[in-house]
Amino acid sequence: MTENDFLPGDYQNLPEKGKVTWKAPSNIALVKYWGKRPVQIPANPSISFTLDACATTTSVSFEKKNTKESFSFDLFFEGKPKEDFKPKIQTFLERIEIYLSFLKEYHFTIETSNSFPHSSGIASSASGMAALSLCLMDIEKQLNPKMDASLFFAKASYLARLGSGSACRSIKGNLVQWGKHLNIPGSSDLYGIEYPFEVNPVFETYCDTILLVHKGQKQVSSTVGHQLMHNHPYAENRFKQASSNLDNLKPILANGDLEGFIKLVESEALTLHAMMMTSMPYFMLMKPDTMEIINKIWQYREETNTPVCFTLDAGANVHLLYPASDKEKVRDFIKDTLAEHCENGQYIHDQVGEGAIKINN
Ligand code: DP6
């Protein structure tokens, strides 16, 4: 599909009002997206596990208004008005206006909440933008009931990408790939696709425990971090490496090669942070406890032969990845050994999930 496929149809009979609700999960990248060009086109392809427990639920109520000059919306986060999120939503609506021509016809009330604790340091932009995009697509579907499911979900992912890049990987389930790749049929810079190759069942129930090392505001936002990949001395090689890592991942995912998985995933995480440390200006998002956790994971893996590994997103938190069959002993290890490095001892057990769902009002 191309940009033109996402242009709006010719709607008639706009409903007076209504309400739609969607729940969209967070995701954790195995091969990282880091670097982009306008508008929200990734510098390299990426792939992520869709999560399950960490999710955002968003309701959009819509009511016809008299004037069509500007966007009109109220925003509530966990039941309270949230003024500081509004500019981001405003920019998002401006970006997607040409794809959804009804946006200025309505006043919207957007109510959103996260399943994970407030200010846990978990980025909610992926799940948040995905849930909002699905709500808006749901309204478009009411105006254009013939739209088929593949267009519906591809366009939801396309819109979500315009809100936050990684959000385009939070629509569908299990493993989602985003970014044009010569050897991945159907891959696109414009939206995420369900990973089209064989995946060993071990990865369909993979566990991810998020160790909340630091819950405060990040020192440098992802948006700034992406920008620092322009004129970065190692950028070109990094982008090539991400593409070859997607090739390398193919047999690993098909065969359930956990040793190969661990090497690739940990290398991706550390490379992401190496890119931050070698940007100009340079910055570091890992904290001493991040390092302690990583060292303890390596030691535990060495001593027990348990195939646990870590990945990191753009922050200090550590995602601990392991097969469901090792759940019990790994969770003991977390409780006994890693929890002390988490802020207030907090962590969240999650696992690979099926993607976003519609909630009936
Ligand atoms: C490190 O999607 O948050 O998590 O497109 O500017 O909103 P924007 O960035 P964002 O970047 C995510 C970066 C990452 C890696 C990844 O999820 O692939």
Side-chain angles (χ1 to χ4, degrees):
M1 278 179 243
T2 67
E3 253 131 9
N4 285 339
D5 294 306
F6 301 125
L7 291 171
D10 187 14
Y11 318 125
Q12 275 131 26
N13 307 326
L14 290 177
E16 275 306 309
K17 59 180 187 174
K19 182 176 181 181
V20 290
T21 304
W22 280 79
K23 179 178 174 185
S26 188
N27 70 74
I28 180 68
L30 305 173
V31 174
K32 308 290 180 181
Y33 147 57
W34 198 242
K36 61 175 166 180
R37 55 191 166 84
V39 179
Q40 297 288 97
I41 298 298
N44 65 260
S46 60
I47 186 169
S48 50
F49 274 145
T50 304
L51 296 181
D52 185 48
C54 290
T56 299
T57 302
T58 299
S59 293
V60 175
S61 308
F62 52 102
E63 190 159 5
K64 266 252 193 80
K65 61 184 173 68
N66 297 330
T67 58
K68 296 177 197 169
E69 266 99 70
S70 55
F71 300 116
S72 169
F73 64 96
D74 292 314
L75 188 67
F76 295 87
F77 178 67
E78 276 154 20
K80 298 195 189 86
K82 191 79 181 160
E83 289 304 310
D84 47 336
F85 280 7
K86 282 182 110 177
K88 199 163 183 190
I89 305 291
Q90 176 75 26
T91 308
F92 176 58
L93 295 176
E94 285 163 13
R95 272 192 196 158
I96 65 171
E97 189 188 358
I98 58 163
Y99 304 106
L100 296 174
S101 50
F102 59 84
L103 292 177
K104 283 185 177 155
E105 306 267 353
Y106 290 110
H107 173 76
F108 297 104
T109 304
I110 304 167
E111 294 165 277
T112 185
S113 61
N114 291 336
S115 65
F116 37 90
H118 182 46
S119 79
S120 56
I122 298 182
S124 58
S125 64
S127 51
M129 285 297 173
L132 179 57
S133 299
L134 284 158
C135 288
L136 296 175
M137 281 309 296
D138 201 321
I139 301 172
E140 183 175 54
K141 171 100 178 141
Q142 292 180 24
L143 307 176
N144 179 10
K146 289 200 199 109
M147 185 187 324
D148 67 26
S150 63
L151 178 62
F152 178 90
F153 288 111
K155 185 165 171 180
S157 174
Y158 180 89
L159 299 177
R161 183 196 105 239
L162 293 172
S164 174
S166 56
C168 77
R169 299 188 314 237
S170 271
I171 305 286
K172 284 292 184 169
N174 282 10
L175 274 161
V176 177
Q177 191 274 332
W178 169 43
K180 186 81 198 136
H181 189 291
L182 278 181
N183 303 330
I184 304 181
S187 62
S188 170
D189 284 344
L190 304 178
Y191 50 88
I193 60 165
E194 287 171 272
Y195 187 63
F197 300 124
E198 188 189 346
V199 176
N200 186 284
V202 70
F203 295 116
E204 286 168 8
T205 54
Y206 230 65
C207 297
D208 176 8
T209 298
I210 307 157
L211 304 161
L212 304 174
V213 170
H214 182 70
K215 303 197 292 178
Q217 188 76 27
K218 273 190 295 196
Q219 199 188 329
V220 179
S221 72
S222 294
T223 308
V224 172
H226 285 291
Q227 275 165 16
L228 293 175
M229 287 303 277
H230 294 293
N231 304 320
H232 188 294
Y234 307 133
E236 278 320 306
N237 279 329
R238 161 59 198 155
F239 301 148
K240 282 189 201 138
Q241 179 198 39
S243 281
S244 22
N245 272 343
L246 273 155
D247 285 322
N248 300 338
L249 202 54
K250 191 177 168 188
I252 291 174
L253 290 176
N255 303 333
D257 168 10
L258 297 184
E259 207 176 306
F261 181 81
I262 288 169
K263 274 196 194 132
L264 191 148
V265 166
E266 291 191 344
S267 161
E268 273 289 321
L270 293 180
T271 303
L272 169 71
H273 284 256
M275 290 300 111
M276 300 173 185
M277 289 188 246
T278 49
S279 297
M280 192 55 78
Y282 41 82
F283 62 106
M284 201 190 272
L285 297 181
M286 288 192 274
K287 299 278 175 196
D289 281 310
T290 312
M291 308 293 294
E292 293 281 355
I293 289 173
I294 291 175
N295 279 309
K296 284 187 171 179
I297 293 168
W298 284 341
Q299 195 185 348
Y300 175 78
R301 195 163 72 217
E302 173 100 30
E303 284 170 6
T304 65
N305 250 326
T306 313
V308 288
C309 68
F310 69 87
T311 188
L312 306 166
D313 53 19
N317 295 337
V318 180
H319 287 248
L320 191 66
L321 303 176
Y322 48 96
S325 54
D326 289 312
K327 208 188 239 178
E328 236 170 278
K329 60 176 174 179
V330 173
R331 290 187 177 181
D332 284 342
F333 163 60
I334 294 168
K335 190 158 40 78
D336 300 339
T337 315
L338 302 182
E340 66 193 73
H341 299 290
C342 300
E343 202 169 324
N344 305 322
Q346 267 189 302
Y347 51 84
I348 301 170
H349 291 312
D350 206 341
Q351 63 181 58
V352 169
E354 300 292 318
I357 52 167
K358 183 175 161 101
I359 310 282
N360 288 320
N361 286 303

